[in-house]
């Protein structure tokens, strides 16, 4: 007698089949951060999900920041983090610390976690092969940049070799000076440049809300018009604003869908991509009203 548990597992696999077929060969840019990156158990599940996506034919590209890790390293080196309007002030000494934290520590840890499940991950930063060019945002902030251009050639090459690029969000200006960049913005810009099928943000909330933090107002599905309205009405706050602005930019630029997912949920990526119910908020590029 076959147990119900085994039959349930078979049903899950069968349910995933049409989604695996639909997304095979498609690029998905995943902005990784928040609790999902800081909790070792969730970090391992994330690594499993990304490698599984690669194994079933998808092309995952991971983009990460590391604000808490930067602040921690700064304090350990005797430098107190300073912020203006929520943005980190990054002087010449601080930008070196940013590079050490993001490129030398966080990036290597993510690559190592992914490669525990198969030798696929390759780490790089925006400094590599001219990937991310930036312009200074505000002299008060020092070496904090806005993305001026993306050259995704190196990322395409890695994806074509069936590897998983893991990108630390440090970019350079025309003179080769390194800059710290908002990771949410970079993820959207890379998704745009690669014409990705999907742009995914792993966050510490369940998704978008019509009236945050009222959980009953969680928005499971919207489109570019609904997203623009949320931003225009001031319903998005704090760290969610650059995510939504980047989503809007990417969706207008050819990315088909964006997703805001709760990275605190185990296997959040698999639940969103390979089940009928999904989780979080999905945003369509095409207006449903048109």
């Amino acid at each position: 007698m076959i147990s119900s548990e085994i039959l349930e597992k078979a049903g899950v696999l069968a349910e995933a089949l049409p989604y695996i077929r639909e997304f095979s060969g498609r690029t998905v840019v995943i902005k990784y951060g928040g609790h999902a990156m800081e909790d070792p158990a969730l970090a391992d599940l994330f690594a499993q999900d990304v490698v599984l996506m690669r194994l079933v034919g998808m092309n995952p590209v991971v983009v990460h920041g590391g604000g808490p890790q930067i602040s921690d390293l700064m304090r350990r080196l005797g430098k107190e983090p300073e912020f203006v309007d929520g943005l980190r002030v990054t002087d010449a000494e601080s930008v070196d610390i940013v590079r050490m934290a993001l490129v030398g520590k966080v990036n290597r840890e993510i690559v190592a976690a992914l490669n525990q499940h198969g030798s696929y991950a390759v780490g790089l930063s925006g400094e590599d092969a001219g990937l991310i060019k930036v312009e200074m945002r505000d002299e008060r902030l020092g070496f904090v940049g806005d993305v001026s251009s993306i050259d995704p050639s190196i990322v395409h090459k890695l994806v074509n070799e069936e590897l998983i690029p893991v990108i630390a969000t440090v970019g350079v200006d025309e003179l080769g000076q390194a800059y710290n960049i908002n990771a949410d913005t970079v993820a959207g810009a890379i998704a745009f440049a690669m014409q990705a099928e999907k742009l995914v943000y792993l966050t510490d909330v369940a998704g978008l809300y019509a009236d945050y933090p009222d959980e009953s107002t969680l928005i499971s599905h919207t489109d570019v018009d609904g997203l623009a309205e949320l931003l225009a009405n001031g319903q998005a706050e704090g760290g969610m604003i650059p995510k939504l602005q980047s989503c809007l930019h990417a969706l207008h630029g050819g990315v088909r869908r964006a997703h805001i997912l709760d990275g605190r949920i185990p296997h959040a990526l698999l639940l969103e991509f390979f089940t009928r119910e999904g989780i979080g908020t999905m945003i369509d590029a095409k207006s449903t009203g048109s």
Side-chain angles (χ1 to χ4, degrees):
M1 184 72 177
I2 299 175
S3 71
S4 59
E5 183 180 352
I6 292 174
L7 290 172
E8 184 178 349
K9 288 179 180 178
V12 169
L13 292 171
E15 181 181 338
L17 181 60
Y19 301 104
I20 291 172
R21 186 183 297 118
E22 179 184 356
F23 300 132
S24 180
R26 304 298 177 88
T27 295
V28 178
V29 175
I30 305 159
K31 191 305 186 132
Y32 180 41
H35 196 68
M37 191 163 71
E38 296 166 29
D39 182 312
L42 288 173
D44 185 59
L45 293 178
F46 168 82
Q48 291 179 35
D49 287 5
V50 173
V51 171
L52 180 60
M53 290 164 67
R54 172 60 268 174
L55 290 172
V56 299
M58 298 173 72
N59 300 323
V61 175
V62 178
V63 176
H64 71 86
Q69 292 86 346
I70 295 169
S71 294
D72 179 60
L73 183 57
M74 289 182 73
R75 292 189 179 100
R76 284 163 53 194
L77 294 174
K79 192 172 181 66
E80 190 61 28
E82 181 185 351
F83 295 87
V84 172
D85 297 331
L87 296 171
R88 185 185 305 275
V89 175
T90 309
D91 58 21
E93 184 181 8
S94 297
V95 81
D96 285 339
I97 296 173
V98 167
R99 292 165 88 187
M100 284 190 282
L102 293 187
V103 183
K105 184 176 188 296
V106 178
N107 189 268
R108 305 317 307 161
E109 289 174 349
I110 297 170
V111 167
L114 289 167
N115 285 339
Q116 285 292 310
H117 303 286
S119 301
Y120 297 102
V122 176
L124 64 158
S125 81
E127 297 177 87
D128 295 317
L131 174 56
I132 306 173
K133 288 288 174 58
V134 304
E135 297 174 345
M136 180 179 283
R137 171 175 290 196
D138 185 332
E139 288 187 1
R140 295 178 304 158
L141 298 171
F143 298 110
V144 173
D146 287 323
V147 176
S148 60
S149 66
I150 299 284
D151 180 352
S153 302
I154 184 64
V155 186
H156 282 302
K157 287 177 182 177
L158 293 172
V159 165
N160 289 339
E161 291 294 325
E162 299 187 350
L163 297 168
I164 302 171
V166 180
I167 303 168
T169 51
V170 176
V172 292
D173 65 13
E174 292 298 328
L175 299 176
Q177 169 64 50
Y179 283 75
N180 186 18
I181 329 167
N182 181 281
D184 294 331
T185 303
V186 171
I190 288 176
F192 183 126
M194 296 191 72
Q195 291 294 281
E197 175 77 10
K198 291 176 179 285
L199 168 62
V200 181
Y201 286 95
L202 291 177
T203 70
D204 287 343
V205 295
L208 296 182
Y209 294 86
D211 184 17
Y212 182 80
D214 182 350
E215 294 184 0
S216 68
T217 66
L218 178 67
I219 300 168
S220 60
H221 184 208
T222 187
D223 58 21
V224 284
D225 292 340
L227 182 59
E229 188 175 338
L230 275 174
L231 282 165
N233 292 342
Q235 290 166 280
E237 297 181 353
M240 190 60 75
I241 293 173
K243 289 180 176 63
L244 301 190
Q245 290 173 334
S246 296
C247 283
L248 204 57
H249 176 68
L251 292 167
H252 281 309
V255 176
R256 287 189 60 195
R257 288 192 177 117
H259 301 258
I260 309 293
L261 304 183
D262 190 343
R264 300 168 299 180
I265 298 175
H267 295 302
L269 291 171
L270 299 188
L271 289 169
E272 178 60 30
F273 288 154
F274 300 135
T275 67
R276 294 186 191 92
E277 293 81 8
I279 59 172
T281 301
M282 182 173 74
I283 308 157
D284 275 316
K286 191 173 182 180
S287 172
T288 54
S290 61

